[in-house]
């Protein structure tokens, strides 16, 4: 004899079968409150076909708001409203007013907001609410672990990183972060958010002016570049940390990078060399022959524009012209492939025109 | 006019060289990128099979019907945007103006009346009737009103008491001591707020000497080691925030204080070599909406560099691959039933419709009314109206709004200045 296999029912369907939503307007504990329908006017635009439940909850919310009611039932209703539209910042604001007016347990609220964020991690309001609760509790002790949890699901969640940086700065929680960043880069060396966090931590702790730190960072980055030469993040980081120090004056860097050309060539390597040569020209470095450096830079720009990075052709041609114009000797450079400018030489006007 | 018959970049044989190189080291990033590239390749090959001579076509009729309907009715899928209804008005109206589709007077009047209902008694606009004021719907509402801004609409505005004096009170109420703005009283800070505030204040002529004290310095501190701007100081450079920060600085007349070269390098590097569209951040995926947020920075940079005395700027093009972007939008971002989208496989929505079309317009039009160069990929009928790269509404509407509001004196702040810090 075979037992009949029941068809699997989704949790949401199960809920609906077992327990129909009991509208607030029909609940006796709410009988004293007259729901306030939304005032869209006689000829609505962008009119949303709200579900019955949505209308019921928000009609009641508007009633509470109108009476400025501060009660437990109001608090409970905000949770319903949030579930229907977690982006309704008016509801969140009201919930915060109630949290304070009713002196609610903020530890419980932390549990609540944790669950909501897990469910909707890309919403502004939920993260802001968490931040408010952490501030009221003055307790950041769960934050780094919580954010790490969220990042384990989406290592680039912008709101998560924003919250993490806020916690770290506000409560001075810098310890262990560089290690955390390295873990993330181990998992995905292309995680640009992690590279940004690396810069954030170091900037706010040791800084980059310490030459030992800078050397460590340069070597770390070159190591990552060798592993994956087409990883733009690593090249950008290398450029980013050497901006002030000077790419062309960093000892041995040009040699190290040129060495990579055989095994690790990429448009990013070529672009980096252009940046390096440009730096040499800008600083009028005595270690570089100016004319030769200019020629090399122009040659690489041409290579990028015509072959290796054609999507950025316009940009590389501009860089060429700029270099030529600034460091070249002789004739001023016109934007070569373009028609001669009209007699009233106008450039694009993106400013509001004067009345 | 550029030649219409040149082969599409994405169909050239050498195009496969632009595929992502993972160096044999696979990570989540490289796997996701390859997935997208595969789906784009699919789109290209299907397109080539159907069309013997590829002439990408903007599906004007379909988009028009999608927009026309949405301006009136939206399904319950839009419940999540119930706190963003002025945005829906703006996204749809702007899309229609780009398509050069007129808005009937009755509809225009209904939109004005609706936006008046979204206005907060203390100034500014909320996401719907009875919602608190918030800088984002405020930005959207003002833009939408300016798009409608015929004499007729301005008459309606006055009658329905859209109060621009109170708008100033609202802006002061969200201003922070460090120069930044919170998005709403008791809300979060990020660079979008500065843009929203600068946009509405400049269009309606309510900029007072103190309103933007410290704002430009705060925005500048959002430019990071990558060259782009993050949402707040310290964060990763991101296309949406980069646009907001740059455009706000243009309005404030302080765009020259950015490291323009670093910004230019960052934003041009965001155009994807294979897809042709733009990504929002380094090592992330292409998305049609960045066609505006990222590509739209280039006209701003062009102007900033020009004002700094740069004589080597192109006289015929913004510094990005205009054809490639148009190809991406027309081939990969259109829903055959109308509406545009992020990337193949995603659903259409009005946000993506607005920003894909805005990006398409930016790519098509270089210059201003005096020096204008058009590059229309595909048929001439693909041509959209030009858009103003600071406000993202049509330039004539910007001019009209500024003219209208400059006839009025700058208001004096009247209401109480509740510090946003006092609010929960």
């Amino acid at each position: 004899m075979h037992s009949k296999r029941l068809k699997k029912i989704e949790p949401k369907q199960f809920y609906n079968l077992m327990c129909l939503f009991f509208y607030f307007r029909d609940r006796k504990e709410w009988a004293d409150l007259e729901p306030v329908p939304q005032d869209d006017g006689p000829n609505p635009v962008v009119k949303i076909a709200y579900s019955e439940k949505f209308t019921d909850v928000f009609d009641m919310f508007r009633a509470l708001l109108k009476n400025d009611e501060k009660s437990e039932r109001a608090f409970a209703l905000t949770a319903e409203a949030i579930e229907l539209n977690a982006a309704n910042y008016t509801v969140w604001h009201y919930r915060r007013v109630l949290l304070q007016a009713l002196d609610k347990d903020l530890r419980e609220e932390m549990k609540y907001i944790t669950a909501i964020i897990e469910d909707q991690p890309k919403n502004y309001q939920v993260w802001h609410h968490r931040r408010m609760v952490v501030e009221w509790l003055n307790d950041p002790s769960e934050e780094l672990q919580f954010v790490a949890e969220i990042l384990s699901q989406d290592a680039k969640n912008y709101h998560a990183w924003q919250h993490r940086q806020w916690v770290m700065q506000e409560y001075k929680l810098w310890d262990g972060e560089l290690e955390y960043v390295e873990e993330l880069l181990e998992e995905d060396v292309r995680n640009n958010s992690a590279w940004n966090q690396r810069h954030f931590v170091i900037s706010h702790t040791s800084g980059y002016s310490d030459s030992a730190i800078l050397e460590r960072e340069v070597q770390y980055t070159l190591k990552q570049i060798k592993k994956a030469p087409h990883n733009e993040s690593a090249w950008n980081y290398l450029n980013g940390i050497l901006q002030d120090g000077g790419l062309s004056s960093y000892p041995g860097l040009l040699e190290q990078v040129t060495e990579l050309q055989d095994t690790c060539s990429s448009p990013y390597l070529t672009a980096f060399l252009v940046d390096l040569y440009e730096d040499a020209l800008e600083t009028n470095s005595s270690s570089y022959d100016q004319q030769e450096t200019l020629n090399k830079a122009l040659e690489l720009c041409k290579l990028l524009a015509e072959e290796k990075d054609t999507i950025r052709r316009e940009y590389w041609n501009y860089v060429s012209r700029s270099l030529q114009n600034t460091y070249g000797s002789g004739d001023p450079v016109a934007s070569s492939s373009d028609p001669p400018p009209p007699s009233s030489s106008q450039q694009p006007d993106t400013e509001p025109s004067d009345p | 006019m550029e030649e219409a018959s040149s082969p599409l970049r994405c169909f050239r044989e050498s195009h496969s060289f632009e595929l992502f190189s993972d160096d044999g080291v696979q990570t989540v990033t490289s796997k996701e990128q390859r997935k997208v590239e595969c789906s784009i390749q699919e789109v290209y090959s299907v397109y080539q099979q159907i069309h013997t001579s590829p002439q990408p076509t903007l599906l004007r009729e379909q988009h028009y019907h999608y927009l026309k309907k949405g301006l009136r009715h939206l399904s319950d899928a839009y419940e999540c945007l119930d706190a963003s209804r002025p945005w829906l008005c703006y996204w749809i109206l702007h899309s229609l103006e780009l398509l050069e589709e007129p808005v009937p007077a009755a509809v225009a009047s209904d939109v004005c009346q609706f936006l008046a209902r979204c206005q907060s008694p203390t100034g500014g606009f909320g996401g719907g009737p009875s919602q608190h004021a918030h800088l984002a719907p405020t930005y959207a509402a003002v833009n939408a009103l300016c798009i409608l801004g015929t004499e007729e609409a301005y008459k309606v505005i006055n009658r329905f008491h859209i109060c621009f004096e109170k708008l100033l009170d609202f802006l002061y109420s969200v201003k922070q001591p460090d120069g930044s703005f919170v998005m709403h009283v008791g809300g979060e800070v990020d660079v979008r707020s500065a843009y929203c505030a600068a946009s509405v204040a400049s269009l309606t002529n309510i900029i007072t000497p103190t309103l933007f004290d410290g704002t430009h310095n705060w925005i500048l501190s959002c430019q990071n080691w990558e060259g782009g701007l993050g949402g707040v100081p310290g964060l990763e450079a991101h296309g949406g925030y980069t646009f907001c920060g740059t455009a706000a600085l243009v309005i404030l007349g302080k765009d020259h204080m950015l490291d323009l070269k670093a910004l230019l390098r960052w934003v041009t590097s965001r155009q994807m070599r294979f897809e042709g569209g733009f990504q929002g951040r380094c090592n992330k995926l292409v998305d049609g909406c960045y066609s505006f947020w990222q590509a739209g920075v280039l006209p701003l940079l062009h102007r900033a560099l020009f004002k700094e005395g740069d004589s080597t700027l192109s006289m015929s093009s913004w510094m990005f691959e205009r054809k490639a972007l148009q190809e991406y939008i027309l081939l990969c971002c259109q829903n055959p039933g109308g509406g545009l989208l992020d990337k193949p496989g995603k659903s259409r929505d009005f946000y993506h419709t607005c920003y894909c079309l805005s990006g398409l317009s930016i790519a098509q039009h270089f210059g201003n009314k005096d020096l204008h160069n058009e590059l229309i990929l595909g048929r001439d009928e693909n041509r959209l109206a030009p858009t103003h790269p600071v406000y993202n509404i049509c330039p004539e509407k910007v001019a009209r709004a500024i003219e209208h509001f400059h006839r009025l004196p700058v208001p004096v702040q009247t209401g109480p200045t509740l510090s946003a810090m006092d609010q929960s």
Side-chain angles (χ1 to χ4, degrees):
Chain A
M1 294 281 248
H2 302 289
S3 57
K4 219 169 174 202
R5 273 286 212 86
L6 289 170
K7 183 174 147 200
K8 184 173 193 293
I9 301 179
E10 291 303 304
K12 197 175 169 183
Q13 283 176 289
F14 183 79
Y15 178 84
N16 285 340
L17 286 171
M18 294 301 292
C19 164
L20 294 166
F21 186 71
F22 193 10
Y23 297 124
F24 282 90
R25 62 179 184 250
D26 298 329
R27 300 187 195 189
K28 64 170 169 29
E29 320 83 58
W30 290 83
D32 61 296
L33 204 53
E34 187 67 34
V36 174
Q38 181 159 268
D39 182 20
D40 264 7
N43 306 310
V45 293
V46 293
K47 186 179 154 92
I48 299 168
Y50 308 109
S51 71
E52 194 76 52
K53 182 174 175 182
F54 195 99
T55 306
D56 173 62
V57 168
F58 279 95
D59 283 356
M60 209 53 90
F61 177 73
R62 278 181 280 272
L64 291 167
L65 213 57
K66 187 166 150 190
N67 295 343
D68 197 27
E69 183 176 315
K70 306 220 170 69
S71 64
E72 272 302 326
R73 70 175 181 180
F75 186 74
L77 189 112
T78 61
E80 295 282 349
I82 283 163
E83 198 185 333
L84 291 165
N85 180 18
N88 191 313
Y89 56 90
T90 303
V91 175
W92 281 108
H93 182 269
Y94 201 63
R95 189 179 173 90
R96 285 193 283 277
V97 166
L98 292 171
L99 279 169
Q100 303 209 288
L102 303 174
D103 195 28
K104 300 290 289 181
D105 184 344
L106 295 177
R107 299 278 167 202
E108 284 303 309
E109 189 67 3
M110 280 299 286
K111 289 187 195 155
Y112 170 74
I113 196 63
T114 296
I116 302 281
I117 294 175
E118 288 274 4
D119 193 44
Q120 304 191 55
K122 292 201 174 181
N123 163 305
Y124 281 96
Q125 286 71 37
V126 300
W127 286 97
H128 180 68
H129 189 76
R130 189 185 180 95
R131 176 169 157 163
M132 297 302 304
V133 179
V134 168
E135 277 182 356
W136 288 341
L137 282 171
N138 198 32
D139 178 9
S141 62
E142 294 173 17
E143 297 317 283
L144 296 181
Q145 187 175 349
F146 173 70
V147 175
E149 212 315 279
I150 300 294
L151 290 173
S152 71
Q153 296 162 44
D154 172 4
K156 302 181 185 181
N157 182 319
Y158 206 81
H159 302 281
W161 283 112
Q162 185 165 354
H163 188 77
R164 195 175 183 87
Q165 288 195 351
W166 170 73
V167 169
M168 288 172 58
Q169 265 191 297
E170 191 69 19
Y171 299 97
K172 314 218 183 330
L173 300 171
W174 305 101
D175 286 350
E177 190 67 1
L178 191 56
E179 287 75 4
Y180 176 64
V181 164
E182 287 201 11
E183 264 172 49
L184 290 177
L185 289 174
E186 260 301 302
E187 281 168 30
D188 185 353
V189 71
R190 300 178 178 97
N191 183 341
N192 198 68
S193 308
W195 283 102
N196 181 69
Q197 189 72 350
R198 192 177 183 95
H199 195 277
F200 177 75
V201 173
I202 294 174
S203 307
H204 282 91
T205 52
S206 58
Y208 287 93
S209 34
D210 183 331
S211 58
I213 302 282
L214 189 58
E215 176 63 9
R216 181 197 72 197
E217 290 304 295
V218 168
Q219 291 315 318
Y220 174 82
T221 311
L222 286 171
K223 186 167 161 214
Q224 306 316 315
I225 285 172
K226 283 175 196 150
K227 281 189 210 162
H230 287 82
N231 173 19
E232 192 184 341
S233 293
W235 285 104
N236 290 350
Y237 185 75
L238 187 61
N239 191 313
I241 62 179
L242 291 169
Q243 281 285 292
D244 300 324
L247 277 80
S248 61
S249 54
Y250 198 86
L253 185 61
L254 175 58
E255 288 72 26
Q256 285 199 277
V257 172
T258 344
E259 240 174 67
L260 292 174
Q261 272 185 303
D262 302 318
T263 47
C264 304
S265 192
S266 71
Y268 309 118
L269 188 152
T270 314
F272 186 83
L273 288 173
V274 172
D275 293 332
L276 196 150
Y277 293 141
E278 186 166 5
D279 184 70
L281 293 166
E282 208 167 314
T283 56
N284 201 11
S285 171
S286 50
S287 327
Y288 295 80
D289 177 298
Q290 294 292 297
Q291 186 57 54
E292 202 187 308
T293 305
L294 175 62
N295 290 341
K296 280 199 205 141
L298 294 175
E299 192 187 309
L300 292 179
C301 285
K302 186 165 182 228
L303 180 65
L304 288 162
E306 294 177 6
E307 219 181 290
K308 300 286 181 191
D309 202 21
T310 58
I311 190 84
R312 272 165 279 284
R313 183 179 14 103
E314 284 292 335
Y315 171 71
W316 292 116
N317 287 339
Y318 165 74
V319 172
S320 262
R321 294 192 301 269
S322 289
L323 289 172
Q324 188 73 291
N325 191 53
T326 313
Y327 304 107
S329 51
D331 311 316
V333 181
S335 314
S336 50
S337 56
D338 300 326
S343 50
S344 62
S345 187
Q346 289 281 334
Q347 276 290 344
D349 176 15
T350 52
E351 188 177 48
S353 44
D354 292 325
Chain B
M1 291 281 190
E2 286 288 304
E3 68 282 2
S5 53
S6 58
L8 296 180
R9 183 180 164 270
C10 55
F11 295 137
R12 291 187 207 145
E13 285 191 22
S14 57
H15 194 65
S16 56
F17 292 136
E18 306 286 13
L19 288 166
F20 190 82
S21 314
D22 68 12
D23 302 312
V25 177
Q26 284 190 24
T27 63
V28 170
T29 300
S30 62
K31 285 184 243 180
E32 290 302 302
Q33 177 60 23
R34 294 294 280 115
K35 266 191 231 166
V36 170
E37 287 176 351
C38 279
S39 78
I40 304 273
Q41 278 180 302
E42 257 302 297
V43 169
Y44 291 158
S45 79
V46 167
Y47 192 86
Q48 271 181 303
Q49 284 164 40
I50 298 176
H51 302 88
T52 42
S53 109
Q55 268 272 66
T57 306
L58 179 66
L59 303 171
R60 289 181 159 276
E61 280 303 301
Q62 292 88 325
H63 298 320
Y64 174 63
H65 286 291
Y66 173 66
L67 292 161
K68 185 177 175 210
K69 177 155 192 250
L71 194 50
R72 282 294 178 195
H73 292 107
L74 299 163
S75 74
D76 62 1
Y78 277 87
E79 283 178 350
C80 61
L81 285 170
D82 185 45
S84 298
R85 289 172 69 204
W87 273 117
L88 288 159
C89 294
Y90 163 67
W91 293 329
I92 295 172
L93 288 175
H94 180 52
S95 301
L96 289 168
E97 72 168 346
L98 288 171
L99 291 166
E100 291 178 305
E101 296 287 353
V103 176
V107 177
S109 164
D110 291 343
V111 173
C112 287
Q113 286 182 51
F114 173 71
L115 293 175
R117 286 181 157 79
C118 291
Q119 198 176 194
S120 161
T122 48
F125 295 80
S130 313
Q131 295 182 34
H132 290 170
H134 186 296
L135 276 170
T138 299
Y139 164 84
V142 170
N143 263 7
L145 291 166
C146 290
I147 291 172
L148 296 172
T150 55
E151 303 84 55
E152 200 61 55
Y154 287 128
K155 274 193 224 155
V156 174
I157 289 170
N158 291 333
R159 269 197 289 136
F160 285 94
H161 314 295
I162 292 190
C163 187
F164 292 98
E165 280 82 15
K166 289 230 199 78
L167 181 58
L168 182 62
D169 290 338
F170 170 60
L171 296 182
Y172 271 111
S173 78
V174 287
K175 178 79 191 293
Q176 302 298 290
D178 67 354
S180 67
F181 289 80
V182 291
M183 292 299 292
H184 61 101
V185 170
E188 73 275 14
V189 169
D190 62 54
V191 75
R192 291 174 298 154
S193 60
Y195 171 63
C196 292
S199 179
V200 305
S202 57
L203 286 173
T204 61
N205 188 29
I206 60 173
I207 299 183
T208 65
T210 57
L211 183 58
F212 292 110
D213 273 351
T215 303
H216 69 277
N217 284 322
W218 188 87
I219 299 173
L220 291 169
S221 68
C222 292
Q223 183 170 31
N224 79 348
W225 59 275
E226 299 174 79
L229 281 72
V232 298
L235 283 177
E236 192 183 1
H238 178 296
Y241 296 118
T242 298
F243 174 81
C244 288
T246 308
L249 288 171
V250 169
I251 295 171
L252 299 177
K254 301 281 199 279
D255 44 320
H256 60 277
M257 296 179 72
L258 284 162
D259 182 344
L260 297 172
K261 294 285 161 100
L263 176 55
L264 178 64
R265 167 66 80 90
W266 180 81
V267 70
T268 53
S269 298
R270 303 284 66 76
Q271 188 166 19
M272 309 300 278
R273 60 181 66 252
F274 183 77
E275 303 91 300
F278 282 79
Q279 64 188 173
R281 305 180 246 169
C282 182
N283 268 326
K284 288 210 78 183
L285 302 174
V286 73
D287 181 333
C289 69
Y290 294 115
S291 307
F292 178 75
W293 301 123
Q294 299 282 33
V297 172
L298 288 150
L300 303 178
L301 275 173
H302 205 109
R303 177 187 172 277
L305 290 165
F306 176 71
K307 285 186 109 198
E308 289 295 281
D310 193 327
S311 59
T312 61
L313 286 166
S314 169
M315 297 286 286
S316 62
S317 182
W318 310 124
M319 280 186 272
F320 71 93
E321 232 289 1
R322 293 159 69 188
K323 271 202 201 153
L325 180 61
Q326 294 186 50
E327 274 177 38
Y328 177 68
I329 296 169
L330 293 173
L331 267 61
C332 303
C333 297
Q334 296 193 87
N335 180 309
L340 291 97
L341 37 101
D342 163 353
K343 58 172 70 64
K346 301 281 184 163
S347 312
R348 64 186 180 175
D349 61 54
F350 295 104
Y351 164 83
H352 283 94
T353 301
C354 171
Y355 291 104
C356 284
L357 290 175
S358 301
L360 184 57
S361 173
I362 297 280
Q364 289 178 345
H365 300 282
F366 168 81
N368 63 358
K369 53 180 170 14
D370 301 312
L371 176 74
H372 195 186
N373 162 308
E374 280 184 12
L375 175 60
I376 315 289
L377 187 79
R379 301 139 40 106
D380 286 346
E381 288 78 12
N382 293 350
R383 183 190 183 279
L384 293 174
T387 189
H388 194 296
V390 171
Y391 301 97
N392 201 23
I393 63 177
C394 290
E396 310 83 51
K397 301 295 168 65
V398 173
R400 222 181 269 166
I402 289 179
E403 194 195 7
H404 174 87
F405 289 104
H406 271 76
R407 283 196 229 116
L408 310 169
V410 176
V412 174
Q413 184 192 354
T414 51
T417 38
L418 289 166
S419 161
M421 303 302 250
D422 297 336
Q423 305 286 319
S424 51

